[in-house]
Amino acid sequence: MVGAGQLARMTHQAAIALGQSLRMLAESADDAAAMVGSDVQVGDYRSLSDLRDFAASCDVLTFDHEHVPGEHLRALAADGVTVLPSANALRFAQNKADMRRRLAELKLAAPAWRDLSAVADPRAELADFAAGTGWPLVLKAISGGYDGKGVWVVESMADAEPLLASGTPLLAEAKVELDFEIAAVVARSPFGQGAAWTPVETVQQNGICTEVIAPAPRLSAEQAETAQQLALRIAAELDVVGVLAVELFVERGGGLLVNELAMRPHNSGHWGMDGAVTGQFEQHLRAVLDYPLGATTPLAPVTVMANILGAPEAPEMSMDERLHHLFARLPEARVHLYGKGERPKRKIGHVNILGDDVAVVREKAERAAHWMSHAVWTDGWDPHNEH
Ligand SMILES: Nc1ncnc2c1ncn2[C@@H]1O[C@H](COP(=O)(O)OP(=O)(O)OP(=O)(O)O)[C@@H](O)[C@H]1O
Ligand SMILES: [Mg+2]
């Protein structure tokens, strides 16, 4: 696996159970997965020679992030390395303009958009686009964005000016009047088998996913089915191997618009580690190793995943002590910590809670995640005053 962040760390866990060993190309020896893996090479994923060196002893090369240059992946494939997903598939997760063009060819609904990167006069192009959509609209970095970095809501040409002047290749999108957001996560094997989890609702704050609810409570059975079919179709059409997450907007009228694609385990699939028969990390491995895929059946009526996001100021209480208190209060909490340093808004872990009632499970998951990052109970609970 190229990259050794939390996704590699959790893939490593799944690899252990399958009797496989996950080799990782880490940026640094203290990356989340590098600290726990036994077969870690520190190197630069932008360097073809580092990649060649790394891939030489791998059966299959796969990814914890989308940043490996496509030309390097093509060179590795030409050397005989099995790269999954392939460079041709991965392109649609690396480049939002290529993704929008390809989905338009497949006639899949998406927000109105315009590529500002390949035109002589981006300002005139944006003005022309805005004449159709109105303001505000959304500007996005065509590649390299994550957690809302690289996404800007702009109110006017004047507001857009600094971004246009920055030289970052951009696309413009209509700002969708969205009701809520969902993700349809699926997996596909080289054999062509597909498997879909129940679509989930993803809750975002300032462009960062904070919470995932499985199954998406506000989605009708028909919409859920449509979303799964759409994601399986995209996986097949784009020849994706591994996990594919399709992020979708649900419009006020109920329509589904594709936001973006990720071709790797994704934050919206973390719930399944505890809440489904087969979680996404094992499924990704099964897919890239061309095993039959695992059942995606949920293990409870509701699973909520809440991200533990670094507090504005890290609490004095140690993580170990916070965990101790959490387990004392909420023995049902399933905690996954990434071993990462605490920084504001950084994803440092997540909590999964299973149950029957969405409101109850959400409240527990949110409270648990907040406790883990802030060492504060949002309901003022104090163990020393509890009788
Ligand atoms: N066209 C749009 N209309 C309305 N809201 C949008 C639009 N595009 C993006 N957003 C909001 O911004 C969030 C982040 O956008 P997007 O998923 O494209 O960026 P990203 O930073 O690449 O995300 P990720 O963290 O998933 O990689 C979306 O989840 C959504 O809440
Ligand atoms: Mg996104």
Side-chain angles (χ1 to χ4, degrees), residues 96 111 138 140 145-149 151 173-176 178 181 204 207 247 249 259-260 264 266 347:
K96 291 186 185 193
V138 180
K140 291 188 178 183
Y146 70 99
D147 288 352
K149 295 179 176 76
V151 176
E173 277 182 15
K175 186 168 186 298
V176 176
L178 58 92
E181 296 182 59
Q204 334 277 330
E247 296 181 5
F249 299 139
N259 174 32
E260 63 164 347
R264 50 172 169 73
H266 188 254
K347 290 176 181 167

Side-chain angles (χ1 to χ4, degrees), residues 52 55-56 58-61 72-83:
R52 278 202 162 116
C58 297
D59 299 299
V60 180
L61 191 79
H72 290 355
L73 297 178
R74 288 193 183 84
L76 292 173
D79 291 349
V81 177
T82 305
V83 178

Side-chain angles (χ1 to χ4, degrees), residues 247-322:
E247 296 181 5
L248 297 146
F249 299 139
V250 183
E251 290 181 291
R252 294 264 151 79
L256 301 179
L257 303 178
V258 177
N259 174 32
E260 63 164 347
L261 310 178
M263 291 177 201
R264 50 172 169 73
H266 188 254
N267 201 172
S268 61
H270 290 358
W271 70 275
M273 294 175 84
D274 301 302
V277 171
T278 309
Q280 63 169 349
F281 299 99
E282 176 169 332
Q283 197 80 304
H284 186 73
L285 289 169
R286 289 200 198 200
V288 301
L289 294 166
D290 208 7
Y291 287 128
L293 300 178
T296 53
T297 322
L299 295 174
V302 182
T303 302
V304 173
M305 187 280 328
N307 278 330
I308 303 172
L309 299 172
E313 209 172 312
E316 251 169 57
M317 187 188 292
S318 71
M319 192 58 95
D320 173 58
E321 195 177 346
R322 281 176 254 167

